[in-house]
mmCIF file with all atom_site columns, all heavy atoms in Angstrom:
data_model
loop_
_atom_site.group_PDB
_atom_site.id
_atom_site.type_symbol
_atom_site.label_atom_id
_atom_site.label_alt_id
_atom_site.label_comp_id
_atom_site.label_asym_id
_atom_site.label_entity_id
_atom_site.label_seq_id
_atom_site.pdbx_PDB_ins_code
_atom_site.Cartn_x
_atom_site.Cartn_y
_atom_site.Cartn_z
_atom_site.occupancy
_atom_site.B_iso_or_equiv
_atom_site.pdbx_formal_charge
_atom_site.auth_seq_id
_atom_site.auth_comp_id
_atom_site.auth_asym_id
_atom_site.auth_atom_id
_atom_site.pdbx_PDB_model_num
ATOM   1   N  N   . LEU A 1 88  ? 147.175 -99.478  -81.829 1.00 0.00 ? 88  LEU A N   1
ATOM   2   C  CA  . LEU A 1 88  ? 145.997 -99.103  -80.979 1.00 0.00 ? 88  LEU A CA  1
ATOM   3   C  C   . LEU A 1 88  ? 144.721 -99.160  -81.658 1.00 0.00 ? 88  LEU A C   1
ATOM   4   O  O   . LEU A 1 88  ? 143.681 -99.531  -81.024 1.00 0.00 ? 88  LEU A O   1
ATOM   5   C  CB  . LEU A 1 88  ? 146.164 -97.556  -80.434 1.00 0.00 ? 88  LEU A CB  1
ATOM   6   C  CG  . LEU A 1 88  ? 147.128 -97.365  -79.237 1.00 0.00 ? 88  LEU A CG  1
ATOM   7   C  CD1 . LEU A 1 88  ? 147.219 -95.985  -78.916 1.00 0.00 ? 88  LEU A CD1 1
ATOM   8   C  CD2 . LEU A 1 88  ? 146.614 -98.211  -78.082 1.00 0.00 ? 88  LEU A CD2 1
ATOM   9   N  N   . LEU A 1 89  ? 144.692 -98.765  -82.858 1.00 0.00 ? 89  LEU A N   1
ATOM   10  C  CA  . LEU A 1 89  ? 143.385 -98.657  -83.638 1.00 0.00 ? 89  LEU A CA  1
ATOM   11  C  C   . LEU A 1 89  ? 142.820 -100.134 -83.817 1.00 0.00 ? 89  LEU A C   1
ATOM   12  O  O   . LEU A 1 89  ? 141.577 -100.242 -83.933 1.00 0.00 ? 89  LEU A O   1
ATOM   13  C  CB  . LEU A 1 89  ? 143.564 -98.188  -85.092 1.00 0.00 ? 89  LEU A CB  1
ATOM   14  C  CG  . LEU A 1 89  ? 143.650 -96.717  -85.169 1.00 0.00 ? 89  LEU A CG  1
ATOM   15  C  CD1 . LEU A 1 89  ? 143.987 -96.314  -86.682 1.00 0.00 ? 89  LEU A CD1 1
ATOM   16  C  CD2 . LEU A 1 89  ? 142.314 -96.059  -84.823 1.00 0.00 ? 89  LEU A CD2 1
ATOM   17  N  N   . HIS A 1 96  ? 143.126 -102.301 -75.032 1.00 0.00 ? 96  HIS A N   1
ATOM   18  C  CA  . HIS A 1 96  ? 143.305 -100.946 -75.673 1.00 0.00 ? 96  HIS A CA  1
ATOM   19  C  C   . HIS A 1 96  ? 143.270 -99.903  -74.552 1.00 0.00 ? 96  HIS A C   1
ATOM   20  O  O   . HIS A 1 96  ? 144.304 -99.047  -74.662 1.00 0.00 ? 96  HIS A O   1
ATOM   21  C  CB  . HIS A 1 96  ? 142.001 -100.670 -76.569 1.00 0.00 ? 96  HIS A CB  1
ATOM   22  C  CG  . HIS A 1 96  ? 141.983 -99.261  -77.043 1.00 0.00 ? 96  HIS A CG  1
ATOM   23  N  ND1 . HIS A 1 96  ? 141.109 -98.325  -76.492 1.00 0.00 ? 96  HIS A ND1 1
ATOM   24  C  CD2 . HIS A 1 96  ? 142.643 -98.633  -78.008 1.00 0.00 ? 96  HIS A CD2 1
ATOM   25  C  CE1 . HIS A 1 96  ? 141.412 -97.165  -77.277 1.00 0.00 ? 96  HIS A CE1 1
ATOM   26  N  NE2 . HIS A 1 96  ? 142.373 -97.448  -78.075 1.00 0.00 ? 96  HIS A NE2 1
ATOM   27  N  N   . ARG A 1 100 ? 146.688 -97.597  -74.249 1.00 0.00 ? 100 ARG A N   1
ATOM   28  C  CA  . ARG A 1 100 ? 146.537 -96.216  -74.467 1.00 0.00 ? 100 ARG A CA  1
ATOM   29  C  C   . ARG A 1 100 ? 146.779 -95.335  -73.203 1.00 0.00 ? 100 ARG A C   1
ATOM   30  O  O   . ARG A 1 100 ? 147.411 -94.292  -73.279 1.00 0.00 ? 100 ARG A O   1
ATOM   31  C  CB  . ARG A 1 100 ? 145.097 -95.913  -74.938 1.00 0.00 ? 100 ARG A CB  1
ATOM   32  C  CG  . ARG A 1 100 ? 144.780 -94.487  -75.436 1.00 0.00 ? 100 ARG A CG  1
ATOM   33  C  CD  . ARG A 1 100 ? 143.655 -94.291  -76.152 1.00 0.00 ? 100 ARG A CD  1
ATOM   34  N  NE  . ARG A 1 100 ? 143.258 -92.836  -76.139 1.00 0.00 ? 100 ARG A NE  1
ATOM   35  C  CZ  . ARG A 1 100 ? 142.968 -92.115  -77.176 1.00 0.00 ? 100 ARG A CZ  1
ATOM   36  N  NH1 . ARG A 1 100 ? 142.764 -92.713  -78.301 1.00 0.00 ? 100 ARG A NH1 1
ATOM   37  N  NH2 . ARG A 1 100 ? 142.738 -90.813  -77.063 1.00 0.00 ? 100 ARG A NH2 1
ATOM   38  N  N   . PHE A 1 107 ? 150.798 -87.163  -74.454 1.00 0.00 ? 107 PHE A N   1
ATOM   39  C  CA  . PHE A 1 107 ? 149.997 -86.404  -75.434 1.00 0.00 ? 107 PHE A CA  1
ATOM   40  C  C   . PHE A 1 107 ? 149.006 -85.451  -74.922 1.00 0.00 ? 107 PHE A C   1
ATOM   41  O  O   . PHE A 1 107 ? 147.956 -85.148  -75.575 1.00 0.00 ? 107 PHE A O   1
ATOM   42  C  CB  . PHE A 1 107 ? 149.385 -87.412  -76.409 1.00 0.00 ? 107 PHE A CB  1
ATOM   43  C  CG  . PHE A 1 107 ? 150.465 -88.162  -77.217 1.00 0.00 ? 107 PHE A CG  1
ATOM   44  C  CD1 . PHE A 1 107 ? 150.750 -89.473  -76.827 1.00 0.00 ? 107 PHE A CD1 1
ATOM   45  C  CD2 . PHE A 1 107 ? 151.054 -87.549  -78.327 1.00 0.00 ? 107 PHE A CD2 1
ATOM   46  C  CE1 . PHE A 1 107 ? 151.835 -90.153  -77.468 1.00 0.00 ? 107 PHE A CE1 1
ATOM   47  C  CE2 . PHE A 1 107 ? 151.999 -88.192  -79.000 1.00 0.00 ? 107 PHE A CE2 1
ATOM   48  C  CZ  . PHE A 1 107 ? 152.488 -89.493  -78.493 1.00 0.00 ? 107 PHE A CZ  1
ATOM   49  N  N   . GLY A 1 240 ? 150.038 -92.665  -86.863 1.00 0.00 ? 240 GLY A N   1
ATOM   50  C  CA  . GLY A 1 240 ? 148.946 -91.723  -86.631 1.00 0.00 ? 240 GLY A CA  1
ATOM   51  C  C   . GLY A 1 240 ? 149.425 -90.302  -86.955 1.00 0.00 ? 240 GLY A C   1
ATOM   52  O  O   . GLY A 1 240 ? 148.579 -89.380  -87.275 1.00 0.00 ? 240 GLY A O   1
ATOM   53  N  N   . GLY A 1 241 ? 150.683 -89.940  -86.601 1.00 0.00 ? 241 GLY A N   1
ATOM   54  C  CA  . GLY A 1 241 ? 150.966 -88.616  -86.414 1.00 0.00 ? 241 GLY A CA  1
ATOM   55  C  C   . GLY A 1 241 ? 151.873 -87.952  -87.584 1.00 0.00 ? 241 GLY A C   1
ATOM   56  O  O   . GLY A 1 241 ? 152.182 -86.768  -87.457 1.00 0.00 ? 241 GLY A O   1
ATOM   57  N  N   . THR A 1 244 ? 149.053 -87.698  -91.343 1.00 0.00 ? 244 THR A N   1
ATOM   58  C  CA  . THR A 1 244 ? 147.787 -86.831  -91.226 1.00 0.00 ? 244 THR A CA  1
ATOM   59  C  C   . THR A 1 244 ? 148.096 -85.396  -91.149 1.00 0.00 ? 244 THR A C   1
ATOM   60  O  O   . THR A 1 244 ? 147.451 -84.568  -91.630 1.00 0.00 ? 244 THR A O   1
ATOM   61  C  CB  . THR A 1 244 ? 147.259 -87.318  -89.813 1.00 0.00 ? 244 THR A CB  1
ATOM   62  O  OG1 . THR A 1 244 ? 148.343 -87.439  -88.929 1.00 0.00 ? 244 THR A OG1 1
ATOM   63  C  CG2 . THR A 1 244 ? 146.531 -88.548  -89.968 1.00 0.00 ? 244 THR A CG2 1
ATOM   64  N  N   . THR A 1 290 ? 136.181 -93.372  -91.697 1.00 0.00 ? 290 THR A N   1
ATOM   65  C  CA  . THR A 1 290 ? 136.590 -94.288  -90.644 1.00 0.00 ? 290 THR A CA  1
ATOM   66  C  C   . THR A 1 290 ? 135.734 -95.386  -90.582 1.00 0.00 ? 290 THR A C   1
ATOM   67  O  O   . THR A 1 290 ? 134.521 -95.336  -90.504 1.00 0.00 ? 290 THR A O   1
ATOM   68  C  CB  . THR A 1 290 ? 136.402 -93.456  -89.299 1.00 0.00 ? 290 THR A CB  1
ATOM   69  O  OG1 . THR A 1 290 ? 137.012 -92.172  -89.492 1.00 0.00 ? 290 THR A OG1 1
ATOM   70  C  CG2 . THR A 1 290 ? 137.006 -94.087  -88.079 1.00 0.00 ? 290 THR A CG2 1
ATOM   71  N  N   . ARG A 1 292 ? 133.986 -99.064  -89.447 1.00 0.00 ? 292 ARG A N   1
ATOM   72  C  CA  . ARG A 1 292 ? 133.552 -99.687  -88.188 1.00 0.00 ? 292 ARG A CA  1
ATOM   73  C  C   . ARG A 1 292 ? 132.906 -101.058 -88.615 1.00 0.00 ? 292 ARG A C   1
ATOM   74  O  O   . ARG A 1 292 ? 132.123 -101.053 -89.613 1.00 0.00 ? 292 ARG A O   1
ATOM   75  C  CB  . ARG A 1 292 ? 132.634 -98.926  -87.319 1.00 0.00 ? 292 ARG A CB  1
ATOM   76  C  CG  . ARG A 1 292 ? 133.390 -97.818  -86.665 1.00 0.00 ? 292 ARG A CG  1
ATOM   77  C  CD  . ARG A 1 292 ? 134.405 -98.329  -85.584 1.00 0.00 ? 292 ARG A CD  1
ATOM   78  N  NE  . ARG A 1 292 ? 135.088 -97.253  -84.904 1.00 0.00 ? 292 ARG A NE  1
ATOM   79  C  CZ  . ARG A 1 292 ? 136.148 -96.553  -85.215 1.00 0.00 ? 292 ARG A CZ  1
ATOM   80  N  NH1 . ARG A 1 292 ? 136.811 -96.866  -86.386 1.00 0.00 ? 292 ARG A NH1 1
ATOM   81  N  NH2 . ARG A 1 292 ? 136.689 -95.565  -84.405 1.00 0.00 ? 292 ARG A NH2 1
ATOM   82  N  N   . SER A 1 344 ? 136.871 -84.284  -87.198 1.00 0.00 ? 344 SER A N   1
ATOM   83  C  CA  . SER A 1 344 ? 138.038 -84.683  -88.013 1.00 0.00 ? 344 SER A CA  1
ATOM   84  C  C   . SER A 1 344 ? 139.037 -85.598  -87.192 1.00 0.00 ? 344 SER A C   1
ATOM   85  O  O   . SER A 1 344 ? 139.894 -86.207  -87.702 1.00 0.00 ? 344 SER A O   1
ATOM   86  C  CB  . SER A 1 344 ? 138.784 -83.407  -88.357 1.00 0.00 ? 344 SER A CB  1
ATOM   87  O  OG  . SER A 1 344 ? 137.878 -82.490  -88.850 1.00 0.00 ? 344 SER A OG  1
ATOM   88  N  N   . PHE A 1 345 ? 138.939 -85.534  -85.785 1.00 0.00 ? 345 PHE A N   1
ATOM   89  C  CA  . PHE A 1 345 ? 139.789 -86.379  -84.979 1.00 0.00 ? 345 PHE A CA  1
ATOM   90  C  C   . PHE A 1 345 ? 139.076 -87.627  -84.470 1.00 0.00 ? 345 PHE A C   1
ATOM   91  O  O   . PHE A 1 345 ? 139.529 -88.253  -83.572 1.00 0.00 ? 345 PHE A O   1
ATOM   92  C  CB  . PHE A 1 345 ? 140.330 -85.571  -83.796 1.00 0.00 ? 345 PHE A CB  1
ATOM   93  C  CG  . PHE A 1 345 ? 141.383 -84.602  -84.274 1.00 0.00 ? 345 PHE A CG  1
ATOM   94  C  CD1 . PHE A 1 345 ? 140.972 -83.073  -84.066 1.00 0.00 ? 345 PHE A CD1 1
ATOM   95  C  CD2 . PHE A 1 345 ? 142.688 -84.898  -84.658 1.00 0.00 ? 345 PHE A CD2 1
ATOM   96  C  CE1 . PHE A 1 345 ? 142.055 -82.241  -84.534 1.00 0.00 ? 345 PHE A CE1 1
ATOM   97  C  CE2 . PHE A 1 345 ? 143.468 -83.806  -85.035 1.00 0.00 ? 345 PHE A CE2 1
ATOM   98  C  CZ  . PHE A 1 345 ? 143.261 -82.569  -84.961 1.00 0.00 ? 345 PHE A CZ  1
ATOM   99  N  N   . GLY A 1 346 ? 137.868 -87.854  -85.138 1.00 0.00 ? 346 GLY A N   1
ATOM   100 C  CA  . GLY A 1 346 ? 137.102 -89.029  -84.645 1.00 0.00 ? 346 GLY A CA  1
ATOM   101 C  C   . GLY A 1 346 ? 136.356 -88.710  -83.414 1.00 0.00 ? 346 GLY A C   1
ATOM   102 O  O   . GLY A 1 346 ? 136.233 -87.607  -83.026 1.00 0.00 ? 346 GLY A O   1
ATOM   103 N  N   . HIS A 1 350 ? 138.544 -94.481  -79.678 1.00 0.00 ? 350 HIS A N   1
ATOM   104 C  CA  . HIS A 1 350 ? 139.674 -94.270  -80.580 1.00 0.00 ? 350 HIS A CA  1
ATOM   105 C  C   . HIS A 1 350 ? 140.073 -92.917  -80.929 1.00 0.00 ? 350 HIS A C   1
ATOM   106 O  O   . HIS A 1 350 ? 140.806 -92.556  -81.857 1.00 0.00 ? 350 HIS A O   1
ATOM   107 C  CB  . HIS A 1 350 ? 139.622 -95.244  -81.846 1.00 0.00 ? 350 HIS A CB  1
ATOM   108 C  CG  . HIS A 1 350 ? 139.626 -96.651  -81.487 1.00 0.00 ? 350 HIS A CG  1
ATOM   109 N  ND1 . HIS A 1 350 ? 140.826 -97.307  -81.208 1.00 0.00 ? 350 HIS A ND1 1
ATOM   110 C  CD2 . HIS A 1 350 ? 138.703 -97.576  -81.295 1.00 0.00 ? 350 HIS A CD2 1
ATOM   111 C  CE1 . HIS A 1 350 ? 140.609 -98.613  -80.860 1.00 0.00 ? 350 HIS A CE1 1
ATOM   112 N  NE2 . HIS A 1 350 ? 139.248 -98.795  -81.015 1.00 0.00 ? 350 HIS A NE2 1
ATOM   113 N  N   . CYS A 1 352 ? 141.435 -89.479  -81.559 1.00 0.00 ? 352 CYS A N   1
ATOM   114 C  CA  . CYS A 1 352 ? 142.793 -89.153  -81.808 1.00 0.00 ? 352 CYS A CA  1
ATOM   115 C  C   . CYS A 1 352 ? 143.595 -88.930  -80.661 1.00 0.00 ? 352 CYS A C   1
ATOM   116 O  O   . CYS A 1 352 ? 143.310 -87.987  -80.012 1.00 0.00 ? 352 CYS A O   1
ATOM   117 C  CB  . CYS A 1 352 ? 142.931 -87.983  -82.887 1.00 0.00 ? 352 CYS A CB  1
ATOM   118 S  SG  . CYS A 1 352 ? 144.703 -87.713  -83.249 1.00 0.00 ? 352 CYS A SG  1
ATOM   119 N  N   . GLY A 1 354 ? 146.680 -88.022  -80.636 1.00 0.00 ? 354 GLY A N   1
ATOM   120 C  CA  . GLY A 1 354 ? 147.617 -86.779  -80.868 1.00 0.00 ? 354 GLY A CA  1
ATOM   121 C  C   . GLY A 1 354 ? 146.950 -85.556  -81.310 1.00 0.00 ? 354 GLY A C   1
ATOM   122 O  O   . GLY A 1 354 ? 147.597 -84.648  -81.678 1.00 0.00 ? 354 GLY A O   1
HETATM 123 C  C1  . HEM B 2 .   ? 145.676 -83.347  -88.399 1.00 0.00 ? 1   HEM B C1  1
HETATM 124 C  C2  . HEM B 2 .   ? 146.219 -84.292  -87.840 1.00 0.00 ? 1   HEM B C2  1
HETATM 125 C  C3  . HEM B 2 .   ? 145.512 -85.500  -87.463 1.00 0.00 ? 1   HEM B C3  1
HETATM 126 C  C4  . HEM B 2 .   ? 144.245 -86.012  -87.725 1.00 0.00 ? 1   HEM B C4  1
HETATM 127 C  C5  . HEM B 2 .   ? 143.304 -85.318  -88.735 1.00 0.00 ? 1   HEM B C5  1
HETATM 128 C  C6  . HEM B 2 .   ? 144.064 -87.304  -87.094 1.00 0.00 ? 1   HEM B C6  1
HETATM 129 C  C7  . HEM B 2 .   ? 142.859 -88.048  -87.218 1.00 0.00 ? 1   HEM B C7  1
HETATM 130 C  C8  . HEM B 2 .   ? 142.751 -89.204  -86.500 1.00 0.00 ? 1   HEM B C8  1
HETATM 131 C  C9  . HEM B 2 .   ? 141.393 -89.842  -86.355 1.00 0.00 ? 1   HEM B C9  1
HETATM 132 C  C10 . HEM B 2 .   ? 140.229 -89.598  -87.194 1.00 0.00 ? 1   HEM B C10 1
HETATM 133 C  C11 . HEM B 2 .   ? 141.524 -90.854  -85.544 1.00 0.00 ? 1   HEM B C11 1
HETATM 134 C  C12 . HEM B 2 .   ? 140.426 -91.954  -85.286 1.00 0.00 ? 1   HEM B C12 1
HETATM 135 C  C13 . HEM B 2 .   ? 140.487 -93.118  -86.247 1.00 0.00 ? 1   HEM B C13 1
HETATM 136 C  C14 . HEM B 2 .   ? 139.382 -94.106  -85.903 1.00 0.00 ? 1   HEM B C14 1
HETATM 137 O  O1  . HEM B 2 .   ? 138.606 -93.957  -85.017 1.00 0.00 ? 1   HEM B O1  1
HETATM 138 O  O2  . HEM B 2 .   ? 139.234 -95.130  -86.680 1.00 0.00 ? 1   HEM B O2  1
HETATM 139 C  C15 . HEM B 2 .   ? 142.918 -90.971  -85.086 1.00 0.00 ? 1   HEM B C15 1
HETATM 140 C  C16 . HEM B 2 .   ? 143.403 -91.794  -84.191 1.00 0.00 ? 1   HEM B C16 1
HETATM 141 C  C17 . HEM B 2 .   ? 144.794 -91.758  -83.707 1.00 0.00 ? 1   HEM B C17 1
HETATM 142 N  N1  . HEM B 2 .   ? 145.538 -90.770  -83.967 1.00 0.00 ? 1   HEM B N1  1
HETATM 143 FE FE1 . HEM B 2 .   ? 145.311 -89.051  -85.035 1.00 0.00 ? 1   HEM B FE1 1
HETATM 144 N  N2  . HEM B 2 .   ? 145.138 -87.563  -86.330 1.00 0.00 ? 1   HEM B N2  1
HETATM 145 C  C18 . HEM B 2 .   ? 145.970 -86.508  -86.434 1.00 0.00 ? 1   HEM B C18 1
HETATM 146 C  C19 . HEM B 2 .   ? 147.194 -86.370  -85.865 1.00 0.00 ? 1   HEM B C19 1
HETATM 147 C  C20 . HEM B 2 .   ? 147.803 -87.243  -84.983 1.00 0.00 ? 1   HEM B C20 1
HETATM 148 C  C21 . HEM B 2 .   ? 149.086 -87.193  -84.288 1.00 0.00 ? 1   HEM B C21 1
HETATM 149 C  C22 . HEM B 2 .   ? 150.060 -85.913  -84.421 1.00 0.00 ? 1   HEM B C22 1
HETATM 150 C  C23 . HEM B 2 .   ? 149.299 -88.236  -83.739 1.00 0.00 ? 1   HEM B C23 1
HETATM 151 C  C24 . HEM B 2 .   ? 150.550 -88.512  -82.844 1.00 0.00 ? 1   HEM B C24 1
HETATM 152 C  C25 . HEM B 2 .   ? 150.549 -89.011  -81.712 1.00 0.00 ? 1   HEM B C25 1
HETATM 153 C  C26 . HEM B 2 .   ? 148.097 -89.142  -83.779 1.00 0.00 ? 1   HEM B C26 1
HETATM 154 C  C27 . HEM B 2 .   ? 147.984 -90.311  -83.258 1.00 0.00 ? 1   HEM B C27 1
HETATM 155 C  C28 . HEM B 2 .   ? 146.837 -91.101  -83.341 1.00 0.00 ? 1   HEM B C28 1
HETATM 156 C  C29 . HEM B 2 .   ? 146.673 -92.347  -82.650 1.00 0.00 ? 1   HEM B C29 1
HETATM 157 C  C30 . HEM B 2 .   ? 147.815 -93.279  -81.937 1.00 0.00 ? 1   HEM B C30 1
HETATM 158 C  C31 . HEM B 2 .   ? 145.281 -92.761  -83.029 1.00 0.00 ? 1   HEM B C31 1
HETATM 159 C  C32 . HEM B 2 .   ? 144.708 -94.128  -82.526 1.00 0.00 ? 1   HEM B C32 1
HETATM 160 C  C33 . HEM B 2 .   ? 144.090 -93.917  -81.180 1.00 0.00 ? 1   HEM B C33 1
HETATM 161 C  C34 . HEM B 2 .   ? 143.332 -95.193  -80.658 1.00 0.00 ? 1   HEM B C34 1
HETATM 162 O  O3  . HEM B 2 .   ? 143.173 -96.106  -81.315 1.00 0.00 ? 1   HEM B O3  1
HETATM 163 O  O4  . HEM B 2 .   ? 143.187 -95.202  -79.347 1.00 0.00 ? 1   HEM B O4  1
HETATM 164 N  N3  . HEM B 2 .   ? 147.328 -88.551  -84.640 1.00 0.00 ? 1   HEM B N3  1
HETATM 165 N  N4  . HEM B 2 .   ? 143.581 -89.702  -85.522 1.00 0.00 ? 1   HEM B N4  1
#
Side-chain angles (χ1 to χ4, degrees):
L88 277 179
L89 279 172
H96 174 254
R100 187 166 163 133
F107 295 100
T244 45
T290 310
R292 291 292 184 267
S344 316
F345 290 110
H350 292 281
C352 179

